[in-house]
Amino acid sequence: MSAVPDLPVLTDLSALTAALRTHLDGPRRAVRDRCRGLDHDLLAPPPTPLPMNEHRARVSAQVEALARESFVAEGFPERQGGLGRYGDGVTAFEMLGHTDLSLFVKAGVQWGLFGGAVSMLGTERHDALMPRIISGELQGCFAMTETGHGSDVQGLLTTATFVAETDEIVVHSPSPLARKDYIGNAADDGHLATVFAQLVVGDEHHGVHCLLVPIRDDDGSAADGVTITDCGPKLGLQGVDNGRLMFDHVRVPRTNLLGRYGDINDDGVYTSPIENPSRRFFTMLGTLVRGRISVAGGAGAAARSALTVATRYAAQRRQFAKPGVADGGDGQEVVLLDYRTHQRRLMPRIATAYALQFAQNDLVVAMDDVLSGRVSGELEQRELEARAAGIKAVTTRHATDTIQECREACGGAGYLWANRLPAMKSDTDIFTTFEGDNTVLLQLVAKSLLAQYSSTFGDLDTLGIVRFGARLTASTFVERSAARGLLQRIVDVAPGREENVVFAARTTQLALLTEREEHLIEGLARRLRRADEPGADGFAAFNNTQDHLVATAVAHVERTVAEGFAHAVATCPDPEAAAVLARVCDLYILSTIETHKAWYLEHDRLTPARTKALTALVNEICAELRGVALPLVDAFGIPEPWLTTEMLDDNLAP
Amino acid sequence: MSAVPDLPVLTDLSALTAALRTHLDGPRRAVRDRCRGLDHDLLAPPPTPLPMNEHRARVSAQVEALARESFVAEGFPERQGGLGRYGDGVTAFEMLGHTDLSLFVKAGVQWGLFGGAVSMLGTERHDALMPRIISGELQGCFAMTETGHGSDVQGLLTTATFVAETDEIVVHSPSPLARKDYIGNAADDGHLATVFAQLVVGDEHHGVHCLLVPIRDDDGSAADGVTITDCGPKLGLQGVDNGRLMFDHVRVPRTNLLGRYGDINDDGVYTSPIENPSRRFFTMLGTLVRGRISVAGGAGAAARSALTVATRYAAQRRQFAKPGVADGGDGQEVVLLDYRTHQRRLMPRIATAYALQFAQNDLVVAMDDVLSGRVSGELEQRELEARAAGIKAVTTRHATDTIQECREACGGAGYLWANRLPAMKSDTDIFTTFEGDNTVLLQLVAKSLLAQYSSTFGDLDTLGIVRFGARLTASTFVERSAARGLLQRIVDVAPGREENVVFAARTTQLALLTEREEHLIEGLARRLRRADEPGADGFAAFNNTQDHLVATAVAHVERTVAEGFAHAVATCPDPEAAAVLARVCDLYILSTIETHKAWYLEHDRLTPARTKALTALVNEICAELRGVALPLVDAFGIPEPWLTTEMLDDNLAP
């Protein structure tokens, strides 16, 4: 007996595709449809790799064309000349993830990072710049990362020293390690930079602040005191002009300080609405949350493009004949997607792509609520940041792994530029690093979970490890106690019977994920409490739990993504689409549990008989969903001209 | 109490490095040292990505220069103008894996594939060509893969039909799927191709044979009836001119058939020393085993380059400060390699690189024995092929995963072309596909294990699944029964004591790997026996065991590689190097077991307490070996000019 009831007989696959797509498009379907109508010839990746400078020029022209699209203005408030529809703007950018990813990144630098910093960190005196930024007339850079400090932004070396005598701020790079590095839009096009630097007013150090520094004169040459160099060719994203900036005592007016969270007044006195310097710093960074959400969006889009191409190829390509008629077969060559190993490569990744798209849709709704001010409060802001960090890390990991798998699953054809996977792979490879290195982000997520746990149970001393003291809503922990009782009952009863039946109920599936997350958090708290005893080496204690922190964060994201997927299934209005989605959700959750089956066995949550039954069940669901593999990828709704490849030429179909 | 005795106090790290390198270099140290003296400026990857045609021209010039090196001739027997030192030749090619990988592949096509096919499949009448092939004067292609058939070589569509009237063979591509595809050296430089096609003599089809077809005239234009197109840009290997060939009834003399294993005599009659067509086919393919061995070598070399660069960066780069003096720390910024997550990324991969290099050295010795004729027999030939297939699959997987991890571990710096990881990543990405798709190769390995098992225990019916009926030496199975008893005793006793002590003995470590391999093979045999019952669907039965087949092959390769590593430790003459190598071997084996810990728990071979202790032990060994991480990568012995990067500039060291 299988734990999986059969899918309904699906009579109309195009109706199924349409219903799936509508639900997957989510609340911003109209935005997605508008983007599907964009001029793809204009926005497409170059049909053949271009010399770096030609590719850059091409992307600059694309950015100019994009500036005329309304979704650029959507990302900014009305008082700055924008439209104040933040969620729509981010969703439109996500759709750019199906075009040339150099364009996605270059536009993200100009409007998301540079424009976003001026918009969110500036004061009224900077609003006047915004229309020229939105129109693309004023091109800029986001100069945060330095050669010596990337993840550790608080450790930046660039200084911004207020000089009362001239009412100016002097920006300086004191060493080669202080060089601003990997800065998009710096090598060619940027004229103004939002520079993050250690602010010094009089004798006082106020920590990292952001200020505007012109880096180029009108004629395009480097401004006085600014040295600009080119990062040169990269693995991908050749259309983005990444560069390096060094400042030699560059003077800018005091009013160039983007002073919303820390300003210098006309009397030359530093003032801030947030007294605690650490809280101030994290509040500033927190306003830039959109960057991570956009990167997750673009990564998810690229992974969907790759899965669409690879699944179609797998459904067309044949290799090795079945046994002949004499041996009970029909002698036909087998379609790749009929092989179990091939199903195992693609089907769980399609399921994950669904899960993450629903998660992204939900995250954008939450972001829109916070940015529009409909929801406010530090707690909500911190929760949004933690969610964004977790989804960014998990989605970019998914994209890198999935595109790699798709390349390999297409064999030699996947290696040819004409089949688009090479550009997807090379361009997205840095997504696991930029906008927050994934390993660092996952540790932030875990620390915020610890803070939440601590505030709920009050039994965790700080140890300095919860420096990023975000407090999330604490209620979820209490709610989950009920689920745990349920799990225990289900796991305890009926051993020896059909072992896979236990995996059929969504509540059990979710309880299994919740159980793992909670156990990891509790274990972490216990280890850190022990490490906080007198005489313990703080760094060693932190370091010994580092892999535990990362595992905890991943478990948390997996649980929340699964809950979101379950909700999406439950709210799908089309019965056939809902039935298919339910099975895709089963596959996402059960293959996730399977990935961690050693944990479930080690912690006595599943018996060996059940983990073996789980693997068999995942195989079975892969085989079942293979029948709707094409509708599943078609429902991603990527316009056909955006998916042109050579290998899917009908002439090559056997 | 730890299961790991402390490493000896190492006073002279450069002596340690030298001793490690000597042992790792293996029996062909002199060849490696000779290659270390090659002109790196000449052979290096381009310092910046070149337009495709410039890169191709550069590589063609490099190949011309290489032709003057003696190791090219080493790969061919003396009667063909070679030197007959096969192992030396393959080892020299492995060293090219540290230079531009386009050169490695282009040279591999010319001398390994094209030259190898003429040398191994041709008869005396073809020996006359060899001096011009060795000198590079005659450039050629290896035209096996078609658009429609890659892994399934027996399914090739190109036909070679003997015409008695004119004593010619007509070569023809009957459909677009018959097009020869991804053929190296075809787009620009090749003049002669070794074409694999279905041989038809009279009414008889004799299966796939190889014959010489001129594809270009002296002036470089396509020969009559041959259509040559360019595969265009690729993810990497831009310096290799991959192309496509279509044949329109191209006539070549009968004597162009490379007829060692199947010829047409002067009377127009087909003759072959091997009666069984399937055995004949696999014998022909088997002679080309060097290609897979060379690909494994190049992949291993590229992974070592990446690990060297990433480990040096990790030992230099600092991020985040420790707690300050007031909190019991020293406030210093932490070197990346001191973080557990970073150790976990790099140290087990360094251990695997060691394991695979020792395995490669051993494989080359076995290959040299067979090719030189010192060892002969079909059994030995089949065993060599299975070993080569397994090592190729596992080493290329290791390279792809490791170079990816190194890129990410170097953050933004890893994405810059100047830091070399992008080229390593892009160029080696296809290694998992070419010279045999890894998924297919692993199934071949598993099938040969099954045949061996079947011949030992006589209880497996064929089911057609063991079509590749290789028989390996059967003695190992018997030997291992003893090890199993040992394992059982060790695993059974002393639960509750120090759980990690069980992992200390090498015999236990190896017994754990052997246990898994044997259990997987036995399970596979059992499943296939059941599937062979009357009424069973042959394809479904095969397909349902496909993931089981792949897991079995990997387990087999891991066990044999571990045994080889253990032997290398035991025979290391330098005591300090031996002590370090022993720990590296521990890390390789224990992190491999850890990867499969779900299996050990599911199958009751390890208790949860022991798998947890295992993880702690792997962490501990990573931390311990971190102290010798630099000597470990220095011992790879890659000449410094071959490792130039921008990020390891001393000026950027904090």
Side-chain angles (χ1 to χ4, degrees):
Chain A
M1 187 188 113
S2 165
V4 183
D6 286 338
L7 280 178
V9 177
L10 300 161
T11 47
D12 183 348
L13 289 182
S14 65
L16 172 68
T17 303
L20 285 170
R21 182 182 138 190
T22 301
H23 203 55
L24 199 54
D25 274 355
R28 293 193 161 75
R29 168 148 220 218
V31 176
R32 293 183 190 278
D33 275 341
R34 191 149 41 85
C35 293
R36 287 174 178 129
L38 287 172
D39 182 347
H40 182 61
D41 287 344
L42 184 73
L43 306 181
T48 175
L50 298 177
M52 188 174 78
N53 289 333
E54 283 178 40
H55 196 168
R56 286 181 180 181
R58 189 172 190 274
V59 170
S60 295
Q62 290 171 327
V63 167
E64 211 171 295
L66 263 198
R68 295 189 289 271
E69 296 293 331
S70 62
F71 63 77
V72 171
E74 283 168 349
F76 302 99
E78 295 179 43
R79 69 167 197 282
Q80 294 176 343
L83 297 167
R85 297 203 303 265
Y86 307 98
D88 290 356
V90 163
T91 303
F93 268 98
E94 178 193 316
M95 294 298 288
L96 290 185
H98 296 299
T99 69
D100 186 351
L101 287 153
S102 285
L103 169 61
F104 171 82
V105 170
K106 178 102 171 172
V109 167
Q110 165 66 13
W111 292 300
L113 294 176
F114 167 64
V118 179
S119 169
M120 302 299 288
L121 300 177
T123 60
E124 279 168 26
R125 66 179 179 266
H126 305 108
D127 283 353
L129 289 172
M130 291 308 302
R132 291 174 57 222
I133 292 175
I134 294 172
S135 72
E137 187 191 340
L138 177 59
Q139 293 272 320
C141 314
F142 181 80
M144 179 185 272
T145 296
E146 296 174 357
T147 303
H149 291 86
S151 296
D152 182 12
V153 176
Q154 282 184 295
L156 293 178
L157 298 178
T158 303
T159 54
T161 310
F162 176 59
V163 180
E165 294 69 27
T166 58
D167 205 28
E168 285 174 322
I169 297 175
V170 178
V171 180
H172 185 63
S173 316
S175 83
L177 286 174
R179 182 180 69 176
K180 295 293 177 185
D181 211 344
Y182 319 111
I183 309 301
N185 234 2
D188 291 338
D189 293 337
H191 278 251
L192 189 63
T194 51
V195 175
F196 289 80
Q198 303 286 354
L199 182 66
V200 183
V201 182
D203 294 335
E204 277 201 273
H205 291 246
H206 293 285
V208 171
H209 286 64
C210 185
L211 73 170
L212 295 170
V213 182
I215 59 166
R216 275 197 175 78
D217 296 331
D218 288 343
D219 66 359
S221 61
D224 270 359
V226 180
T227 305
I228 305 178
T229 48
D230 199 313
C231 288
K234 304 184 292 287
L235 174 56
L237 299 177
Q238 302 293 11
V240 183
D241 55 319
N242 294 88
R244 294 163 176 151
L245 304 171
M246 285 284 281
F247 302 104
D248 181 8
H249 299 94
V250 174
R251 291 175 171 261
V252 299
R254 165 179 59 88
T255 51
N256 276 26
L257 186 63
L258 296 174
R260 181 171 303 173
Y261 298 103
D263 212 347
I264 302 171
N265 67 17
D266 293 344
D267 300 328
V269 176
Y270 179 82
T271 64
S272 168
I274 305 174
E275 205 161 329
N276 181 307
S278 179
R279 214 180 118 230
R280 185 192 308 138
F281 171 75
F282 285 111
T283 302
M284 284 189 210
L285 286 200
T287 62
L288 308 175
V289 68
R290 243 187 312 186
R292 285 181 187 157
I293 296 174
S294 296
V295 165
R304 292 194 295 278
S305 296
L307 282 167
T308 305
V309 167
T311 303
R312 289 177 178 181
Y313 186 68
Q316 166 190 299
R317 167 91 174 164
R318 293 172 182 271
Q319 202 73 177
F320 292 108
K322 282 192 202 178
V325 180
D327 299 313
D330 58 9
Q332 278 250 319
E333 289 187 312
V334 181
V335 168
L336 289 193
L337 201 47
D338 285 340
Y339 285 110
R340 170 168 289 172
T341 49
H342 221 82
Q343 291 169 5
R344 273 282 184 169
R345 294 170 100 159
L346 296 179
M347 301 310 301
R349 295 178 190 281
I350 292 174
T352 304
Y354 269 75
L356 293 174
Q357 177 145 17
F358 287 121
Q360 180 77 14
N361 288 347
D362 293 347
L363 178 61
V364 170
V365 168
M367 182 207 77
D368 193 63
D369 284 345
V370 167
L371 292 187
S372 68
R374 275 193 304 282
V375 164
S376 63
E378 195 176 337
L379 197 72
E380 287 71 16
Q381 172 71 33
R382 291 293 96 79
E383 182 170 334
L384 177 65
E385 289 162 28
R387 266 177 85 174
I391 292 290
K392 186 272 180 187
V394 168
T395 306
T396 55
R397 179 82 266 144
H398 160 74
T400 293
D401 294 346
T402 294
I403 299 170
Q404 178 72 37
E405 194 72 55
C406 289
R407 196 304 287 158
E408 295 181 30
C410 293
Y415 198 63
L416 300 187
W417 185 271
N419 292 322
R420 301 198 60 231
L421 291 161
M424 294 180 204
K425 174 79 197 122
S426 304
D427 290 343
T428 56
D429 203 83
I430 195 65
F431 284 37
T432 54
T433 298
F434 70 14
E435 282 291 318
D437 176 272
N438 281 1
T439 306
V440 176
L441 288 186
L442 289 170
Q443 292 177 64
L444 289 184
V445 171
K447 287 173 186 175
S448 83
L449 290 171
L450 273 174
Q452 169 192 1
Y453 178 88
S454 160
S455 77
T456 310
F457 295 100
D459 65 349
L460 177 72
D461 283 327
T462 57
L463 198 133
I465 203 166
V466 198
R467 280 188 301 188
F468 177 46
R471 283 161 159 253
L472 301 180
T473 167
S475 61
T476 46
F477 272 96
V478 182
E479 284 164 18
R480 275 185 246 139
S481 310
R484 187 185 300 188
L486 170 71
L487 175 69
Q488 206 53 52
R489 282 197 304 281
I490 291 170
V491 170
D492 287 345
V493 301
R497 286 187 37 211
E498 290 295 340
E499 297 290 358
N500 63 12
V501 171
V502 69
F503 299 112
R506 184 80 69 226
T507 44
T508 315
Q509 294 175 356
L510 294 173
L512 281 163
L513 293 179
T514 304
E515 182 68 11
R516 177 169 136 81
E517 177 193 3
E518 283 190 26
H519 186 90
L520 282 166
I521 296 173
E522 287 161 8
L524 202 50
R526 214 164 34 242
R527 287 178 72 177
L528 291 172
R529 209 156 49 228
R530 276 203 305 272
D532 202 32
E533 285 162 9
D537 175 342
F539 173 72
F542 157 75
N543 203 26
N544 289 340
T545 60
Q546 215 191 4
D547 47 348
H548 195 152
L549 276 168
V550 169
T552 304
V554 171
H556 169 74
V557 177
E558 287 169 346
R559 192 263 307 163
T560 54
V561 167
E563 286 179 354
F565 198 167
H567 179 74
V569 172
T571 55
C572 179
D574 181 275
E576 290 197 343
V580 170
L581 276 181
R583 198 60 36 83
V584 177
C585 185
D586 286 338
L587 182 55
Y588 169 67
I589 298 178
L590 296 178
S591 62
T592 300
I593 294 171
E594 192 196 18
T595 303
H596 303 301
K597 70 178 174 179
W599 186 91
Y600 288 96
L601 288 160
E602 266 184 353
H603 295 82
D604 211 17
R605 296 317 198 266
L606 290 174
T607 61
R610 285 201 167 133
T611 57
K612 288 179 189 171
L614 175 65
T615 295
L617 186 55
V618 170
N619 285 336
E620 198 182 327
I621 302 175
C622 284
E624 194 191 14
L625 286 175
R626 182 264 175 269
V628 290
L630 290 176
L632 283 174
V633 297
D634 290 347
F636 291 146
I638 308 169
E640 291 304 323
W642 303 20
L643 289 169
T644 312
T645 61
E646 204 178 73
M647 66 183 169
L648 292 172
D649 184 337
D650 283 343
N651 291 324
L652 298 179
Chain B
M1 187 188 113
S2 164
V4 184
D6 287 338
L7 280 178
V9 177
L10 301 161
T11 47
D12 184 347
L13 289 183
S14 65
L16 172 67
T17 304
L20 286 171
R21 182 183 138 192
T22 300
H23 203 55
L24 199 54
D25 273 355
R28 291 192 163 76
R29 168 148 220 219
V31 176
R32 294 183 188 279
D33 275 342
R34 192 150 41 87
C35 293
R36 287 172 178 130
L38 287 173
D39 182 346
H40 183 62
D41 286 345
L42 183 72
L43 306 182
T48 176
L50 297 177
M52 189 174 77
N53 290 333
E54 283 179 41
H55 196 167
R56 287 180 179 181
R58 189 172 190 273
V59 170
S60 295
Q62 290 171 329
V63 167
E64 210 170 298
L66 264 198
R68 293 190 288 272
E69 297 292 332
S70 63
F71 63 79
V72 171
E74 282 168 349
F76 301 99
E78 294 178 45
R79 71 168 195 281
Q80 294 177 340
L83 298 168
R85 296 203 303 264
Y86 307 96
D88 290 356
V90 162
T91 302
F93 268 97
E94 178 193 316
M95 295 299 288
L96 289 185
H98 297 299
T99 69
D100 186 349
L101 287 153
S102 286
L103 169 61
F104 171 83
V105 171
K106 178 102 170 170
V109 167
Q110 165 66 14
W111 291 299
L113 295 177
F114 167 64
V118 179
S119 168
M120 303 298 288
L121 301 178
T123 60
E124 276 169 27
R125 66 180 179 265
H126 304 109
D127 283 353
L129 288 172
M130 291 309 302
R132 289 173 58 219
I133 293 176
I134 295 172
S135 73
E137 188 191 336
L138 177 58
Q139 293 270 320
C141 313
F142 181 80
M144 179 185 273
T145 297
E146 295 173 359
T147 304
H149 292 86
S151 295
D152 182 12
V153 176
Q154 282 183 295
L156 293 178
L157 299 177
T158 303
T159 53
T161 311
F162 175 61
V163 180
E165 293 70 25
T166 60
D167 206 28
E168 286 175 320
I169 297 174
V170 177
V171 181
H172 185 61
S173 316
S175 82
L177 285 174
R179 181 179 70 178
K180 295 293 176 186
D181 209 346
Y182 320 111
I183 309 301
N185 234 1
D188 290 340
D189 292 337
H191 278 251
L192 189 63
T194 52
V195 176
F196 289 79
Q198 303 287 352
L199 182 66
V200 183
V201 181
D203 295 335
E204 278 201 88
H205 290 245
H206 294 285
V208 172
H209 286 64
C210 185
L211 73 170
L212 294 170
V213 183
I215 60 167
R216 277 196 172 79
D217 296 332
D218 288 344
D219 66 359
S221 59
D224 270 359
V226 180
T227 305
I228 305 177
T229 48
D230 199 313
C231 288
K234 304 182 292 288
L235 174 56
L237 300 177
Q238 301 293 12
V240 183
D241 56 320
N242 294 88
R244 292 161 176 153
L245 304 172
M246 285 284 280
F247 302 104
D248 181 8
H249 300 91
V250 174
R251 291 175 170 260
V252 299
R254 164 178 60 88
T255 50
N256 275 25
L257 185 62
L258 296 174
R260 182 170 305 176
Y261 299 102
D263 212 348
I264 303 172
N265 68 19
D266 293 346
D267 300 329
V269 177
Y270 179 80
T271 63
S272 169
I274 306 176
E275 204 159 329
N276 180 306
S278 179
R279 215 182 116 227
R280 184 192 309 138
F281 171 74
F282 285 112
T283 301
M284 283 190 212
L285 285 199
T287 61
L288 309 174
V289 66
R290 244 186 313 186
R292 286 180 185 157
I293 297 174
S294 295
V295 165
R304 292 194 295 277
S305 295
L307 283 167
T308 304
V309 167
T311 303
R312 289 178 178 178
Y313 186 68
Q316 166 190 300
R317 168 89 175 165
R318 292 171 182 272
Q319 202 73 177
F320 291 111
K322 282 191 201 180
V325 180
D327 299 312
D330 58 10
Q332 277 249 322
E333 288 185 312
V334 181
V335 169
L336 290 194
L337 201 48
D338 285 340
Y339 286 109
R340 170 168 291 174
T341 49
H342 220 82
Q343 290 169 5
R344 273 281 185 170
R345 294 169 100 159
L346 297 180
M347 301 311 301
R349 294 177 190 282
I350 292 174
T352 304
Y354 268 74
L356 292 174
Q357 177 145 17
F358 286 122
Q360 181 76 14
N361 289 347
D362 293 345
L363 178 60
V364 170
V365 168
M367 182 207 76
D368 193 62
D369 284 344
V370 168
L371 292 188
S372 67
R374 273 192 303 282
V375 164
S376 63
E378 195 176 338
L379 197 74
E380 287 69 19
Q381 172 71 32
R382 291 293 97 77
E383 182 172 333
L384 177 66
E385 288 162 30
R387 266 177 84 174
I391 292 290
K392 185 274 182 185
V394 168
T395 307
T396 56
R397 179 81 268 144
H398 159 74
T400 294
D401 293 348
T402 294
I403 299 170
Q404 179 71 37
E405 194 71 56
C406 289
R407 196 305 285 159
E408 295 181 29
C410 293
Y415 198 63
L416 300 187
W417 186 271
N419 293 321
R420 305 200 57 234
L421 291 162
M424 293 180 205
K425 175 80 195 120
S426 304
D427 289 343
T428 55
D429 204 81
I430 196 65
F431 283 38
T432 54
T433 299
F434 70 13
E435 282 290 319
D437 177 272
N438 281 0
T439 306
V440 176
L441 288 185
L442 290 170
Q443 292 177 63
L444 289 186
V445 172
K447 287 172 185 175
S448 83
L449 291 171
L450 273 173
Q452 169 189 3
Y453 178 87
S454 162
S455 77
T456 309
F457 296 101
D459 67 347
L460 178 73
D461 283 329
T462 57
L463 198 133
I465 202 163
V466 198
R467 280 189 299 190
F468 176 46
R471 284 164 157 249
L472 300 181
T473 166
S475 62
T476 46
F477 272 95
V478 183
E479 285 165 17
R480 273 184 247 140
S481 310
R484 187 185 300 186
L486 169 71
L487 175 69
Q488 208 50 52
R489 283 198 302 282
I490 290 169
V491 170
D492 286 345
V493 300
R497 287 189 36 212
E498 291 295 340
E499 298 287 359
N500 61 14
V501 171
V502 71
F503 299 111
R506 183 80 69 227
T507 44
T508 316
Q509 294 174 357
L510 294 173
L512 281 163
L513 293 179
T514 303
E515 182 69 9
R516 176 168 138 80
E517 178 194 2
E518 283 191 27
H519 185 92
L520 283 165
I521 295 173
E522 286 160 8
L524 203 50
R526 214 163 33 242
R527 288 177 72 177
L528 291 172
R529 209 158 45 228
R530 275 201 307 271
D532 201 32
E533 287 162 9
D537 174 344
F539 173 71
F542 158 75
N543 202 27
N544 288 341
T545 59
Q546 216 191 2
D547 47 347
H548 195 150
L549 276 168
V550 170
T552 303
V554 172
H556 169 73
V557 177
E558 287 169 347
R559 191 264 308 164
T560 54
V561 168
E563 286 179 354
F565 198 165
H567 180 73
V569 172
T571 55
C572 179
D574 180 277
E576 291 197 344
V580 170
L581 277 182
R583 197 61 35 80
V584 177
C585 185
D586 286 338
L587 182 55
Y588 169 68
I589 298 178
L590 296 178
S591 60
T592 300
I593 294 172
E594 192 195 19
T595 304
H596 303 301
K597 70 179 172 178
W599 185 91
Y600 288 95
L601 289 161
E602 266 184 351
H603 295 81
D604 210 19
R605 296 317 197 268
L606 290 174
T607 62
R610 285 199 168 134
T611 58
K612 288 179 188 171
L614 175 65
T615 296
L617 185 55
V618 171
N619 284 336
E620 197 183 326
I621 301 174
C622 284
E624 194 192 13
L625 286 176
R626 180 265 176 267
V628 290
L630 291 176
L632 283 174
V633 297
D634 290 346
F636 291 147
I638 308 169
E640 291 305 322
W642 304 20
L643 290 168
T644 313
T645 61
E646 202 178 74
M647 66 184 171
L648 292 172
D649 184 336
D650 285 343
N651 291 325
L652 298 178

